Amino acid sequence: MAEAATVPQRANEIARRSVARGFVAVAALLVSACSTVVPRGPAPPRPTQAPPPVQRPDTGVQAGIPRDAARNRVALLVPLSGSNAGVGKSLANATQLALLDTRNEQVRITNYDTALGAAAAAQRAVADGAQLILGPLLSEDVRAVTPIARRAGVPVLAFSNDTSVAGNGVYLMGYTPSQSIERVVAYARSRGVTNFGGLVPNALYGTRASTSFLRAVESAGGRVVALQTYDRTPGGIGAAVTRMTKDAPFDGVLIADSGATAATAVPLLRRASPNTRIIGTELWNTDNGIAARPALNGAWYASVSNTLYRQYAAKYRARFGAAPYRLSSLGYDAVLLTARIARDWRAGAPFPEARLRSGEGYAGIDGAFRFGRDGVAERALEVQEIRGGTSAVVSPAPASFGR
């Protein structure tokens, strides 16, 4: 465990009782002894009172983390070792930075390494008195943590984007593909795209992306004329494009994968349908080199806003000497949310979970967000267009949610 905030230990002052009366009684006995005749020789030693035992102040030190009655305990569960340690440490740094920026003195955050076992980390956090859990990062870790947190009545703000693990005390901060697909499809439809094609990987992400894509196109009043899946193997997406082009032309094609994968498919798509608009998902926003891929010039994708993130990233680099992971903003925003609620969160009381379901939402580095009844964060997203090596906002994100 690593402490993200250091809190002075509490000491209890102990009063000491006076022993003056005992010394007066002893003095009277000594006076009486001096009037008695004694044999020659050295005088007997004078009786003395044994000193009272020394009482040490209670410093409040105990096994585990120190007692801290003035602050509420929050546990951060992230991978601090293993293959995902980089993003986990970036999340931990982000929470520390948020505490410093908000000057919050009502919350104490303790880090627990989920790489050593998410369930064990949650059990230690609950035993240490955590009243709120931030994290974990991975959906399988969320599943391991959920029953432990639920039994203890501790809400969980997870960083996963797997909506199947949300609900019943678990709230997801992660960027979900369904929201970005709905946003970019609606924008494409408003710009005249009617016939859509889709390329999705044979994976859980692809399955959920394809479902969201079909619903989004139908809701926007368009048509899906082609939808192909592919394996993430050499030549896999190329073969899917070959199958798809039999249904060309189409106005726009969603590629629900990384920017690098999309860039390999675009030249093949252009041969069959030169004017096809390429559409991406929120995955593209985590690719620092997305705008530098010439094949994606003119492509659209929806994501959280990067305006405030750039300021945060500069501050992060100045403090920690390295660039943050894009997902680290989830940790920062989770602390902003906690700090806001902590104004009305009495120390030692359970976390006021009902405040998470505020309809007006909250503001963070990634813009406005609010939790729905399903526990998934609904986010205000913008649409960006890749233009000659940069990304430009073509449809800004709303600043807040309407009633």
Side-chain angles (χ1 to χ4, degrees), residues 138-140 143 160-165 177-178 181 200-212 229-232 256-257 282-283:
L138 305 177
S139 60
E140 56 265 33
R143 289 190 179 91
S160 170
N161 66 354
D162 185 348
T163 57
S164 70
V165 300
S178 60
I181 291 171
V200 297
N202 283 320
L204 181 60
Y205 181 89
T207 300
R208 291 176 176 161
S210 62
T211 301
S212 299
T229 61
Y230 59 89
D231 294 326
R232 284 171 167 157
D257 213 326
E282 86 293 342
L283 290 178

Side-chain angles (χ1 to χ4, degrees), residues 25-396:
V26 172
L29 289 174
L30 290 176
V31 170
S32 176
C34 289
S35 63
T36 303
V37 179
V38 294
R40 294 182 180 181
R46 299 174 64 183
T48 59
Q49 172 93 3
V54 177
Q55 300 187 45
R56 301 182 182 277
D58 179 9
T59 61
V61 176
Q62 60 184 16
I65 58 179
R67 291 196 305 243
D68 186 2
R71 304 191 185 196
N72 287 308
R73 296 191 185 280
V74 175
L76 176 67
L77 273 60
V78 289
L80 299 173
S81 59
S83 59
N84 292 313
V87 64
K89 291 176 181 177
S90 193
L91 281 162
N93 289 342
T95 61
Q96 182 184 36
L97 187 59
L99 282 179
L100 294 173
D101 286 349
T102 59
R103 299 180 181 178
N104 187 281
E105 296 183 356
Q106 297 171 278
V107 172
R108 178 190 185 98
I109 298 181
T110 305
N111 301 343
Y112 300 82
D113 187 4
T114 55
L116 303 178
Q123 289 168 346
R124 290 196 302 272
V126 168
D128 287 340
Q131 298 145 302
L132 175 68
I133 291 175
L134 307 183
L137 174 64
L138 305 177
S139 60
E140 56 265 33
D141 288 344
V142 178
R143 289 190 179 91
V145 166
T146 296
I148 298 167
R150 190 173 297 159
R151 285 194 298 269
V154 177
V156 176
L157 286 178
F159 303 135
S160 170
N161 66 354
D162 185 348
T163 57
S164 70
V165 300
N168 295 319
V170 176
Y171 301 82
L172 295 192
M173 295 283 293
Y175 319 124
T176 59
S178 60
Q179 293 181 35
S180 69
I181 291 171
E182 290 169 5
R183 177 75 165 94
V184 74
V185 164
Y187 176 76
R189 185 72 188 90
S190 72
R191 296 296 301 272
V193 177
T194 301
N195 298 318
F196 291 82
L199 289 167
V200 297
N202 283 320
L204 181 60
Y205 181 89
T207 300
R208 291 176 176 161
S210 62
T211 301
S212 299
F213 177 57
L214 292 169
R215 290 175 178 172
V217 172
E218 180 182 6
S219 177
R223 289 195 311 136
V224 176
V225 298
L227 180 61
Q228 292 291 332
T229 61
Y230 59 89
D231 294 326
R232 284 171 167 157
T233 56
I237 194 167
V241 170
T242 300
R243 296 191 300 270
M244 171 181 278
T245 53
K246 296 177 182 178
D247 300 313
F250 20 70
D251 306 324
V253 174
L254 172 77
I255 305 177
D257 213 326
S258 67
T261 299
T264 63
V266 171
L268 303 175
L269 286 169
R270 297 275 189 220
R271 293 175 191 172
S273 188
N275 298 321
T276 295
R277 180 71 68 166
I278 304 303
I279 302 171
T281 73
E282 86 293 342
L283 290 178
W284 291 15
N285 200 44
T286 62
D287 185 346
N288 292 331
I290 188 71
R293 302 183 187 279
L296 298 181
N297 195 51
W300 293 325
Y301 66 97
S303 71
V304 295
S305 174
N306 286 322
T307 302
L308 293 178
Y309 176 81
R310 294 187 186 99
Q311 300 175 24
Y312 153 78
K315 183 180 293 187
Y316 183 104
R317 282 192 296 269
R319 181 165 187 86
F320 299 108
Y325 278 74
R326 183 61 183 84
L327 288 176
S328 68
S329 60
L330 296 177
Y332 192 98
D333 282 357
V335 173
L336 290 188
L337 170 61
T338 304
R340 179 173 173 180
I341 293 177
R343 299 171 189 170
D344 305 316
W345 182 14
R346 182 173 53 83
F351 181 79
E353 184 179 345
R355 291 284 305 277
L356 294 175
R357 296 185 288 271
S358 171
E360 63 184 15
Y362 297 91
I365 292 294
D366 289 329
F369 68 98
R370 63 182 176 183
F371 294 105
R373 293 182 178 179
D374 58 359
V376 177
E378 176 189 353
R379 295 187 172 275
L381 304 179
E382 67 183 17
V383 178
Q384 299 186 49
E385 180 180 320
I386 299 174
R387 296 177 181 171
T390 63
S391 291
V393 177
V394 292
S395 181

